[in-house]
């Protein structure tokens, strides 16, 4: 019988460091999408927001916080606290 196909080596993506982003220059979530997945993830992490999903999901989640105080942010977009 033929040999089973070899599994591809799993390459772990580099971790993204939290990096705050000034939302002032952006006038829509679509404008944020141009930054790409990793930059949006870094900004979401820095803000304490969930950072998964598509580029559109991430952009709209981040844009929804623009010009709002933290206490007005929707609780559904906040990242869960890690158990320590």
């Amino acid at each position: 019988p033929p040999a089973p196909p070899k599994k591809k080596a799993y390459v772990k993506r580099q971790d993204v460091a939290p990096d705050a982003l000034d939302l002032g220059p952006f006038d829509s979530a679509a404008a944020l999408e141009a930054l790409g997945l990793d930059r949006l993830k870094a900004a979401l992490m820095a803000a304490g927001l969930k950072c998964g999903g598509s580029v559109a999901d991430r952009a709209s989640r981040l844009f929804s916080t623009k010009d709002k105080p933290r206490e007005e942010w929707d609780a559904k977009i906040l990242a869960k606290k890690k158990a320590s």
Side-chain angles (χ1 to χ4, degrees):
K6 291 184 179 178
K7 290 186 178 177
K8 291 183 180 175
Y10 177 73
V11 178
K12 188 175 186 321
R13 294 188 68 196
Q14 289 182 338
D15 288 333
V16 175
D19 187 11
L21 177 67
D22 176 17
L23 296 177
F26 299 96
D27 56 0
S28 69
L32 284 169
E33 289 180 29
L35 297 174
L37 284 168
D38 287 340
R39 182 63 186 98
L40 289 172
K41 180 175 183 173
L44 289 164
M45 289 169 62
L49 300 172
K50 291 180 181 177
C51 54
S54 69
V55 71
D57 294 337
R58 293 178 186 188
S60 64
R61 192 176 310 125
L62 189 59
F63 193 75
S64 73
T65 66
K66 183 176 179 180
D67 299 329
K68 287 185 184 175
R70 190 173 183 89
E71 54 273 5
E72 288 182 19
W73 294 359
D74 187 344
K76 289 183 268 186
I77 67 172
L78 299 175
K80 290 183 171 59
K81 302 265 189 246
K82 286 187 178 179
S84 47

